Amino acid sequence: MKVDNRLLAVTQSLRREIASAKPGLRLPSVRSLMKEFHVSPATVERAFAQLVSEGLIEPRPGQGTFVRETPAGPSEVVDLSWQSVALGAAREDGGFFEASLTLPPADGLILNMGYLPPDLQASGLLAHALRRAAGGVDLWDRLPIEGLQSLRAWFSREIGNGAVFSPHDVIICNGGQAAITATLRALVPPGRPILVETPTYTGAISAARAAGLEVIPVAMDENGVRPELLEDAFQQTGARVFYSQPTFSNPSGVVTSIERRAAVLDIAAEARAFIIEDDWARDLDLTGNAPAPLATGDRHGHVVYIRSLAKSAAPGLRVAAVMARGAALARLKVARASQDFFVAGPLQAAALAVVSAPGWKRHLKAACAALIERRDILVGALREEAGDCVTFQVPTGGMHLWLRLPDHVCDVALAADMARNGVFISAGRAWFPADPEGSFLRLTFAGHPTTLVEGAKRLSQAIKHKL
């Protein structure tokens, strides 16, 4: 097993400090450790993640990282260091992904969320639907692995072309992340390569690494993944799966062009490979001009299609669908069953009631109108406050703005500094499976307008201070 000596040096130094420290002591910042050990932010984050997993330290959003408070009791020295040897090398870098799932304090300026905020969620529809579903006695019984037939039929119709997937080709999952995880397990054996766009969804990177896969990045431009690089990657690596978000890619917001979509399908067919199409923001099309899903152009089973409701309804609606045909579908059923058997019946019934209600379309229309307004507010505030210190493209869907920083401004250090000052943003490094091509931030424009304006002002001041 290859040892990262730089990571080891940082981790051992922190262990020594923790051993002699009182509980509650604040540890050195990411930036100070970077300077002291001449390492990257990612190395420091990995060291912190290791110590968090051992129960030695605890991150406190907006405050820093602290030696963990121990419960009162006998003063017994607990040694958990043996676990590192027993577990071996980590199969995923949990630092960035775990941080993205940590809830920031309610009084912070939050620009790093991945879902609609409460005021834009379909809360009323969900509450009404769930009350009705809870009374369905049969829904509490054991359900088919694939999910409720009526909900599967809705997902198959929603793709926009009934000839692509039938209800029998649909499997209901506990949210988009669970669908991605099951699909990777079904299609890619451990140790094998998987191609991904770069940058790409950090949850997919984390799931692939947790499954023991080799993540191979393929560069994008403003028109989507570059076909010549994708073709070369298939040939050079022998990969048989490509994970893609061709519509409103997270984090960049890029929409793959019509010409590129045809090319990607042809390349996958030539390589006899699968494309996992993660259509995460189909309901958050802010112009109404998004291309049809990649799957609608596939006739020979190369596209495995994933769509979730959590982004457009509410994060608590952990309902998604994965669609496939042939042997891929059979393997997905096995992977899905071994993961968590089936999605709770009342939740499936509530999801169906929400998307079938007359108010669902009104909810989507209102949410998209609010997102357009808030996107433009954030864009205007950044242009006024930051000027040409940052560059970005205005997205036509989704809820994220992808900022490029001056190359000498470290995104991880900047995000940590902002969090200590009550502004929560996402460092772009987390969305790159390999070395990033520059320094980036992902900002979510779904928040309240006052948060967006004040957050943009403070962020712009911090960037200018580093120039």
Side-chain angles (χ1 to χ4, degrees):
M1 180 175 64
K2 185 177 180 180
V3 177
D4 187 335
N5 291 323
R6 294 174 296 179
L7 174 61
L8 187 61
V10 177
T11 307
Q12 289 179 338
S13 175
L14 289 170
R15 286 188 199 281
R16 288 192 293 269
E17 185 164 353
I18 292 167
S20 60
K22 294 182 178 179
L25 176 74
R26 180 174 174 174
L27 294 172
S29 67
V30 172
R31 176 178 290 181
S32 63
L33 290 169
M34 288 167 54
K35 290 181 178 179
E36 180 180 353
F37 292 94
H38 305 287
V39 295
S40 70
T43 299
V44 178
E45 293 288 347
R46 289 172 62 195
F48 278 152
Q50 175 64 38
L51 297 173
V52 167
S53 70
E54 295 176 13
L56 299 178
I57 63 176
E58 57 178 340
R60 299 177 189 171
Q63 301 178 47
T65 306
F66 297 80
V67 177
R68 186 175 180 182
E69 300 279 359
T70 55
S75 56
E76 176 187 357
V77 176
V78 178
D79 182 8
L80 303 177
S81 59
W82 65 271
Q83 294 185 3
S84 298
V85 177
L87 293 171
R91 290 191 295 175
E92 60 176 315
D93 180 5
F96 286 122
F97 191 51
E98 182 180 356
S100 71
L101 299 176
T102 301
L103 294 177
D107 59 350
L109 299 176
I110 303 170
L111 284 82
N112 65 343
M113 69 186 80
Y115 298 95
L116 294 177
D119 65 311
L120 298 185
Q121 294 170 12
S123 304
L125 289 173
L126 280 165
H128 178 70
L130 199 55
R131 282 195 297 268
R132 291 183 57 189
V137 177
D138 293 344
L139 294 172
W140 293 101
D141 200 356
R142 177 179 175 179
L143 296 181
I145 293 169
E146 299 86 353
L148 293 176
Q149 177 71 9
S150 51
L151 183 58
R152 296 161 67 198
W154 181 86
F155 272 109
S156 69
R157 290 194 303 269
E158 275 291 297
I159 198 171
N161 187 336
V164 179
F165 296 111
S166 75
H168 299 288
D169 300 324
V170 179
I171 302 174
I172 305 299
C173 300
N174 276 302
Q177 187 66 25
I180 292 170
T181 300
T183 302
L184 294 179
R185 289 180 55 226
L187 301 184
V188 194
R192 294 290 298 156
I194 180 172
L195 308 183
V196 302
E197 298 157 338
T198 186
T200 193
Y201 172 47
T202 183
I205 297 173
S206 178
R209 287 177 174 161
L213 310 184
E214 181 184 6
V215 184
I216 308 295
V218 184
M220 305 170 67
D221 60 23
E222 66 277 8
N223 293 311
V225 69
R226 292 173 55 183
E228 75 280 8
L229 297 181
L230 179 64
E231 183 175 23
D232 185 60
F234 273 125
Q235 293 175 352
Q236 295 296 325
T237 66
R240 289 294 178 265
V241 176
F242 169 49
Y243 171 82
S244 176
Q245 292 182 327
T247 307
F248 313 129
S249 178
N250 180 7
S252 66
V254 166
V255 178
T256 302
S257 68
I258 299 297
E259 295 77 16
R260 292 265 178 103
R261 288 169 184 255
V264 167
L265 286 172
D266 288 343
I267 290 168
E270 180 67 24
R272 295 185 177 275
F274 291 99
I275 301 169
I276 301 173
E277 181 179 10
D278 183 1
D279 204 6
W280 75 281
R282 173 62 51 180
D283 290 325
L284 304 180
D285 177 5
L286 304 185
T287 66
N289 297 319
L294 200 65
T296 60
D298 171 46
R299 290 293 178 268
H300 301 292
H302 292 281
V303 178
V304 176
Y305 182 78
I306 295 174
R307 182 166 175 182
S308 171
L309 295 176
K311 300 294 186 182
S312 53
L317 188 60
R318 308 305 302 165
V319 173
V322 57
M323 310 178 204
R325 292 176 289 168
L329 177 63
R331 293 201 179 189
L332 273 165
K333 289 181 181 179
V334 174
R336 174 72 189 84
S338 64
Q339 191 165 285
D340 54 6
F341 297 153
F342 57 86
V343 179
L347 191 60
Q348 291 191 58
L352 179 62
V354 166
V355 298
S356 302
W360 175 242
K361 294 298 183 183
R362 292 196 296 270
H363 157 72
L364 293 180
K365 184 177 180 180
C368 286
L371 288 174
I372 292 171
E373 178 185 4
R374 297 179 186 193
R375 175 200 64 187
D376 294 345
I377 288 173
L378 180 58
V379 166
L382 286 170
R383 285 175 173 166
E384 179 179 351
E385 299 288 346
D388 57 2
C389 293
V390 298
T391 58
F392 55 85
Q393 297 293 321
V394 179
T396 58
M399 63 181 82
H400 307 303
L401 195 63
W402 185 236
L403 271 62
R404 177 147 193 170
L405 301 170
D407 288 343
H408 68 277
V409 177
C410 174
D411 55 345
V412 175
L414 177 61
D417 288 345
M418 297 304 298
R420 284 190 286 272
N421 289 288
V423 182
F424 296 89
I425 58 179
S426 297
R429 187 179 302 268
W431 280 268
F432 290 91
D435 294 332
E437 60 188 45
S439 189
F440 297 86
L441 296 177
R442 194 197 75 169
L443 305 181
T444 302
F445 53 79
H448 193 275
T450 56
T451 295
L452 301 177
V453 172
E454 182 63 22
K457 181 179 180 180
R458 295 194 200 176
L459 174 61
S460 300
Q461 291 172 346
I463 295 172
K464 288 179 177 179
H465 184 70
K466 296 178 182 294
L467 297 180

